[in-house]
């Protein structure tokens, strides 16, 4: 096994990876920006290296500085976490060219699946259902309007690169498409350096359900069931749970087998997630593949008992998976709530000093933290500061645990989305498992209070 691993990330995911490294007696190396010098993960790592100023392009996206830190520390491998460089094929390639192990799939697979148009083509060829849409990028709005007429409105306009809901907009008419095209194209170009756009038929009121996969370099692959990720704001997930309260056993198996088809077709190695849109009749369609660990991976760990970071490390070291599909089963129910430093009325970030942080405690409660009391939440990074995860024998009990835990969670000094989370998990639609990606705009009405 590796003796030392560098974590090319920050915040709660860096702390999460460090925790498993400690369990496996692997030395951990953190890299950090000036803004993160007092962050928990910097102190938790066995070694830490300052790599630049607060802005990500001067620190966490600076490949050469990260590789230099890896070389100086004597690290043998680099774990990219999620976000930042985790789905940057060029980074994965440079890591391997440097003689280090990249803890993830090949650079070629990362690049292929990072281009949503190329990914759609590969999935269709592999026999995985895809949403009807264009298989080529569209140069201008006129081409987009022509394609939209072919599929029929409403359609979803999407950027071919990137994620996080950037460059994505639902449109119902040609006029709306004309207004949306240029702005989204510019945003995609700014954020991802790629302004290519494509169109998909809009699946009305879908669920967002994803399948976790693991594969080794010896041809073994498994799926670790599904996560329900339909509670979203601005196309970004807020609450996730496993398993989905909606899927039948038959559809769960079909989706898992479809995910494994994709894994085999790509010769995929390491952890990954196949994301699907699922309609009210349980028809499912490929959305995208995340070639990395997911933010919401803890709910899968809680229901399966599998440490996904440990498996990533073992697979990257060349080991075979130590379990088969038949060994896996679902144990109880898990829910994750993302705690954001943001105004719960506008969803705008709320940077500042965290003057109070009191966490709920109890059986089945798990915390993933990027902060501590007196932390300075800066405007330079994603405003997610923590994740609250609960696990219980049943979904009903998990909801009860989550509700109680959210009411015990105390944050002062900044605004947070805890008010929103409490209202979601106590809503009759959520309790009934009747959630789609339109849940937040349909049922969440902001209030003027924070707690």
């Amino acid at each position: 096994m590796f003796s030392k691993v560098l974590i090319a990330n920050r915040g709660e995911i860096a702390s999460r990876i460090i925790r498993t490294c400690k369990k496996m007696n692997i030395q951990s190396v953190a890299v950090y920006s000036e803004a993160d010098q007092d962050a928990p993960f910097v102190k938790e790592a066995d070694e830490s290296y300052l790599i630049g100023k607060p802005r990500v392009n001067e620190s966490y996206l600076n490949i050469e500085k990260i590789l230099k830190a890896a070389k100086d520390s004597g690290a043998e491998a680099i774990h990219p976490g999620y976000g930042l460089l985790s789905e940057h094929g060029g980074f994965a390639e440079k890591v391997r060219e440097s003689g280090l192990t990249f803890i993830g799939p090949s650079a070629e697979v990362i690049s292929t699946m990072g281009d949503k148009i190329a990914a759609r083509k590969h999935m269709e060829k592999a026999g995985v259902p895809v949403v009807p849409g264009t298989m080529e990028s569209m140069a201008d709005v006129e081409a987009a309007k022509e394609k939209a007429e072919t599929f029929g409105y409403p359609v979803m306009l999407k950027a071919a690169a990137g994620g996080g809901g950037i460059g994505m907009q639902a449109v119902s008419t040609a006029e709306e498409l004309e207004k949306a095209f240029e702005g989204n194209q510019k945003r995609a170009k700014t954020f991802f350096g790629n302004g290519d756009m494509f169109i998909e038929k809009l699946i009305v009121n879908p669920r967002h359900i994803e399948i976790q996969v693991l594969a080794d370099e010896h041809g073994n692959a498994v799926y670790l069931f599904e996560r329900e990720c339909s509670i979203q704001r601005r196309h970004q997930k807020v609450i996730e749970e496993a398993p989905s309260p909606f899927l039948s056993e038959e559809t769960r198996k079909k989706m898992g087998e479809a995910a494994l088809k994709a894994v085999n077709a790509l010769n995929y190695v390491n952890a990954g997630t196949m994301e699907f849109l699922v309609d009210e009749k349980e028809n499912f369609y490929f959305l995208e593949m995340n070639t990395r660990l997911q933010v919401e991976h803890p709910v899968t760990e809680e229901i399966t008992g599998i440490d996904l970071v440990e498996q990533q490390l073992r697979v990257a070291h060349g080991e075979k998976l130590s379990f088969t599909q038949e060994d896996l089963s679902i144990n109880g129910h898990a829910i994750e709530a993302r705690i954001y430093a943001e105004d719960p009325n506008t969803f705008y970030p709320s940077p500042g000093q965290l003057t109070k942080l009191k966490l709920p405690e109890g059986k089945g409660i798990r915390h993933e933290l990027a902060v501590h009391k007196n932390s300075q939440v800066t405007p330079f990074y994603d405003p997610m500061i923590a994740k609250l995860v609960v696990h219980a024998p049943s979904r009903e009990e998990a909801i009860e645990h989550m509700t109680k835990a959210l009411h015990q969670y105390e944050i002062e000094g900044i605004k947070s989305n805890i008010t929103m989370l409490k209202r979601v998990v106590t809503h009759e639609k959520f309790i009934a498992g009747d959630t789609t990606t339109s849940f937040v705009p349909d049922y969440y009405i902001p209030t003027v209070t924070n707690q």
Side-chain angles (χ1 to χ4, degrees):
M1 179 46 65
F2 305 115
S3 60
K4 187 179 287 190
V5 171
L6 182 140
I7 299 144
N9 217 295
R10 61 173 300 280
E12 60 86 19
I13 188 57
S15 292
R16 165 71 190 89
I17 296 165
I18 290 168
R19 193 164 69 239
T20 288
C21 285
K22 287 183 184 301
K23 182 181 78 171
M24 299 175 70
N25 294 315
I26 297 170
Q27 294 280 298
S28 58
V29 181
V31 292
Y32 65 98
S33 73
E34 291 175 357
D36 276 339
Q37 60 184 351
D38 294 322
F41 77 92
V42 177
K43 298 175 175 62
E44 292 162 356
D46 294 296
E47 297 176 47
S48 298
Y49 290 76
L50 175 65
I51 56 169
K53 294 181 179 181
R55 298 190 183 281
V56 290
N57 63 322
E58 298 177 288
S59 52
Y60 297 110
L61 296 182
N62 191 314
I63 293 173
E64 296 310 316
K65 286 186 177 179
I66 291 170
L67 292 177
K68 183 178 185 304
K71 182 178 180 182
D72 290 348
S73 69
E76 302 155 278
I78 293 181
H79 195 306
Y82 58 70
L84 298 173
L85 292 169
S86 64
E87 292 181 287
H88 189 302
F91 176 57
E93 186 62 32
K94 286 191 176 183
V95 169
R96 285 170 175 145
E97 286 175 354
S98 299
L100 303 172
T101 299
F102 180 78
I103 300 170
S106 69
E108 294 76 18
V109 168
I110 292 172
S111 297
T112 295
M113 300 312 287
D115 181 328
K116 293 182 177 62
I117 297 173
R120 284 170 56 80
K121 290 179 179 177
H122 275 77
M123 293 303 98
E124 189 171 63
K125 186 177 180 182
V128 177
V130 299
V131 179
T134 55
M135 289 295 179
E136 304 293 339
S137 63
M138 300 169 301
D140 53 43
V141 69
E142 293 305 318
K145 285 161 67 176
E146 184 179 333
K147 291 294 185 182
E149 291 295 338
T150 303
F151 300 118
Y153 290 98
V155 298
M156 183 67 84
L157 177 67
K158 287 186 173 183
I166 296 169
M168 188 163 91
Q169 186 173 338
V171 293
S172 299
T173 65
E175 291 74 24
E176 286 183 17
L177 179 56
E178 195 160 329
K179 290 178 183 176
F181 190 89
E182 185 177 351
N184 282 283
Q185 188 177 52
K186 282 182 178 177
R187 288 193 78 206
K189 182 71 174 175
T190 299
F191 279 88
F192 312 125
N194 181 346
D196 288 351
M197 305 297 293
F198 72 104
I199 277 179
E200 288 180 344
K201 176 66 179 171
L202 183 68
I203 307 299
V204 179
N205 286 331
R207 288 171 178 265
H208 185 138
I209 299 176
E210 58 193 29
I211 304 290
Q212 175 72 57
V213 294
L214 268 176
D216 64 28
E217 62 186 39
H218 306 283
N220 305 301
V222 297
Y223 65 91
L224 289 88
F225 312 110
E226 83 281 0
R227 297 185 286 258
E228 171 78 57
C229 305
S230 298
I231 306 294
Q232 305 176 6
R233 56 100 174 95
R234 297 201 310 258
H235 301 297
Q236 289 185 312
K237 303 162 191 172
V238 183
I239 292 176
E240 304 98 345
E241 56 183 311
S244 168
F246 174 70
L247 288 190
S248 65
E249 283 295 334
E250 181 183 6
T251 303
R252 175 174 293 118
K253 188 169 186 289
K254 285 181 180 178
M255 290 181 73
E257 290 172 349
L260 292 183
K261 275 186 183 179
V263 166
N264 293 330
L266 293 164
N267 292 317
Y268 193 90
V269 174
N270 215 268
T273 297
M274 296 289 295
E275 301 199 347
F276 295 93
L277 291 179
V278 185
D279 69 19
E280 59 187 8
K281 295 181 180 179
E282 296 191 57
N283 297 307
F284 57 92
Y285 306 93
F286 170 78
L287 179 63
E288 64 182 2
M289 184 177 194
N290 292 129
T291 53
R292 53 168 170 79
L293 198 65
Q294 293 278 87
V295 177
E296 57 272 23
H297 76 275
V299 292
T300 295
E301 294 183 325
E302 292 298 320
I303 66 162
T304 61
I306 301 294
D307 182 331
L308 290 172
V309 175
E310 177 182 347
Q311 295 305 315
Q312 285 190 291
L313 291 163
R314 292 191 181 284
V315 166
H317 194 252
E319 295 182 22
K320 291 182 178 181
L321 292 178
S322 61
F323 48 86
T324 65
Q325 192 67 54
E326 290 68 33
D327 296 324
L328 296 169
S329 61
I330 296 173
N331 173 30
H333 199 91
I335 304 174
E336 173 182 288
R338 302 189 188 189
I339 311 296
Y340 284 97
E342 67 182 18
D343 188 316
N345 301 315
T346 63
F347 304 139
Y348 291 161
S350 176
Q353 187 176 17
L354 194 62
T355 57
K356 182 176 183 179
L357 177 63
K358 184 179 179 183
L359 303 175
E361 298 177 355
K363 184 180 179 181
I365 292 178
R366 168 176 169 178
H367 296 285
E368 303 289 349
L369 294 171
V371 293
H372 52 64
K373 183 184 174 184
N374 297 322
S375 282
Q376 191 71 31
V377 179
T378 76
F380 299 108
Y381 313 117
D382 185 274
M384 189 183 77
I385 57 173
K387 298 183 309 200
L388 170 63
V389 185
V390 299
H391 180 239
S394 68
R395 185 171 186 266
E396 292 73 23
E397 291 169 280
I399 292 173
E400 288 178 13
H401 287 356
M402 177 60 77
T403 302
K404 182 179 179 181
L406 286 170
H407 277 86
Q408 294 174 342
Y409 215 113
E410 295 182 33
I411 289 177
E412 291 180 10
I414 59 170
K415 295 179 180 179
S416 80
N417 68 329
I418 290 176
T419 298
M420 175 200 183
L421 297 170
K422 288 190 288 192
R423 296 183 68 188
V424 170
V425 299
T426 56
H427 195 284
E428 60 182 10
K429 287 282 187 179
F430 180 83
I431 292 171
D434 185 11
T435 57
T436 68
T437 55
S438 65
F439 179 93
V440 171
D442 285 351
Y443 302 112
Y444 175 66
I445 302 172
T447 63
V448 295
T449 60
N450 185 40
Q451 296 295 329

